[in-house]
Amino acid sequence: SIKTINDLPGISQTVINKLIEAGYSSLETLAVASPQDLSVAAGIPLSTAQKIIKEARDALDIRFKTALEVKKERMNVKKISTGSQALDGLLAGGIETRTMTEFFGEFGSGKTQLCHQLSVNVQLPPEKGGLSGKAVYIDTEGTFRWERIENMAKALGLDIDNVMNNIYYIRAINTDHQIAIVDDLQELVSKDPSIKLIVVDSVTSHFRAEYPGRENLAVRQQKLNKHLHQLTRLAEVYDIAVIITNQVMARPDMFYGDPTVAVGGHTLYHVPGIRIQLKKSRGNRRIARVVDAPHLPEGEVVFALTEEGIRD
Ligand code: ADP
Ligand code: MG
């Protein structure tokens, strides 16, 4: 099946190179291009441009669908339990495949613990809330702890070494490296269909450090949006749950989008998905709130961070 522009049937490498040089490096950009523009920009015959656009649209399944088709597609979405019944309830069953889910919140609010727990829980059989799958863990802050994985696996009565073996870990050292890792993931996940979860903890810290302040906002935003779209696409194409984390201050943070946006303005512009805000409560209690999810009711729940992992 067609997953990148390199897979377009009957299109030579020379033409593919022309497309890339002209800025049409993804199926998405091709699918929404006009045949005339594409033909001129890439220096290819109009008929070739038309053919390429049609292939890209077919590959992305861009067409009218009936509501029933949409329903059936949605029913294929699978869920991974968080370990807390309350939190699962808030998420209508757990973290979804084919979707990017963002956990955002202040330091210590439980983002990294949730990433660890889901990397373990994805391995559970479906009847226990997992997908019998593997996890990819991209760590940008150096906060991954194998000891936590051991504790969580043990608490679930799982084979510890087996669980550890099913988590592919990589430390991303800067934004370019982080982006390159996700570029390469396409190959890894297409070769290993048992990968059902991709974690990026945190997705924003390198971008924040390397592109500080307002003067860098435009370029930072552009790079980050592209990165997030790529992650979203991996989720959709390979039926994977993607989790990203984003540390935000207790005050309204101006990291995403327009810095003039007021309170609550840390929105992932243009990027679809589910956003969950985490807040500290008393002791080991944490509060989770779903923010502007199209299909989930608004509300908040309390869960606990324990030695064994995420619990009620
Ligand atoms: P962040 O949102 O900054 O990623 P974390 O997910 O790292 O936050 O959460 C840190 C919190 O997790 C700690 O403050 C503590 O409450 C809890 N925690 C971490 N390790 C353990 C453990 N071994 N046993 C119990 N709770 C733990
Ligand atoms: Mg963390």
Side-chain angles (χ1 to χ4, degrees), residues 16-31:
I16 288 171
N17 291 344
K18 283 181 183 173
L19 295 175
I20 295 170
E21 271 166 37
Y24 296 91
S25 55
S26 69
L27 293 174
E28 283 88 350
T29 48
L30 287 170

Side-chain angles (χ1 to χ4, degrees), residues 106-113 148 151 247 286 305-307:
E106 61 190 305
F107 175 78
S109 59
K111 302 180 294 295
T112 297
Q113 299 304 309
R148 295 298 293 136
N151 283 341
Q247 188 158 309
R286 297 292 183 273
L305 302 177
T306 76
E307 173 77 21

Side-chain angles (χ1 to χ4, degrees), residues 6 8-9 36 86 97-98 113 131 153 155 180 255 281 295:
N6 294 304
L8 289 168
Q36 287 76 12
T97 61
R98 302 188 186 199
Q113 299 304 309
L131 300 174
F255 186 67
S281 184
H295 60 291

Side-chain angles (χ1 to χ4, degrees), residues 90-101:
L90 185 72
L91 299 170
I95 298 297
E96 296 181 355
T97 61
R98 302 188 186 199
T99 304
M100 186 164 73
T101 302

